[in-house]
Amino acid sequence: MTSTDTSTSTHAPAPARAHTDIAAALADLLFTPEVDLHTAVDRHFAPDYRQRTDGTWADRDGFVAHIAHLRTVLAGGSVEVHEELTDGTLYADRHTVRATKKDGSTVRMEVYVFAEFAPDGRFRRIEETTLMLDGADADRNLGSAR
């Protein structure tokens, strides 16, 4: 099992990864608009990708629709990974997303992720629970809005 902690450490840097991770995926999907949506999805998510967010399942097409919607709502943001674990094809993390919407309002969500990698290192399945830390009540469903 490997662990990555974003705090300063005296340990040697982790070796290069043979798989994607949540920070890279969300940066491409949400915060790098010059990356085409389908290019970003193909880079990080397997063709049979499925996602469950706060109890609701979406297939890959539903996930793409969700990200397309978020790209119309969000102006920018960042991801801070607090803990990240991998064990073979399994992945887990806890991260915070800070986002600024195009109307200038901000949202901060903590997300708990359990996932599985496909053999090629892309995400095959993500199951996540979100906790809104800051933002308007209307933004509570941002993690699954379409």
Side-chain angles (χ1 to χ4, degrees), residues 23-132:
L26 290 177
D28 281 353
L29 291 170
L30 298 177
F31 305 128
T32 313
E34 58 273 13
V35 176
D36 174 74
L37 173 60
H38 295 282
T39 299
V41 171
D42 288 342
R43 183 178 294 161
H44 300 285
F45 300 91
D48 60 345
Y49 178 71
R50 298 178 346 126
Q51 178 169 317
R52 183 171 73 164
T53 302
D54 297 326
T56 302
W57 281 102
D59 62 11
R60 186 177 161 131
D61 290 341
F63 173 72
V64 170
H66 164 63
I67 298 301
H69 170 72
L70 289 180
R71 282 181 163 212
T72 70
V73 173
L74 301 180
S78 64
V79 177
E80 180 182 357
V81 175
H82 307 290
E83 286 98 20
E84 184 177 53
L85 304 167
T86 59
D87 185 9
T89 62
L90 300 179
Y91 175 90
D93 86 16
R94 180 177 67 89
H95 65 272
T96 300
V97 177
R98 289 173 177 79
T100 302
K101 295 171 56 178
K102 290 184 178 177
D103 67 6
S105 63
T106 59
V107 178
R108 190 167 60 102
M109 294 189 124
E110 188 166 346
V111 185
Y112 304 88
V113 172
F114 291 91
E116 175 187 9
F117 294 116
D120 65 5
R122 295 183 290 174
F123 286 119
R124 169 177 279 154
R125 175 184 50 86
I126 287 180
E127 297 187 44
E128 65 182 10
T129 299
T130 63
L131 173 65
M132 190 161 86

Side-chain angles (χ1 to χ4, degrees), residues 130-144:
T130 63
L131 173 65
M132 190 161 86
L133 302 173
D134 294 306
D137 282 341
D139 294 327
R140 288 198 183 278
N141 74 339
L142 210 55
S144 58

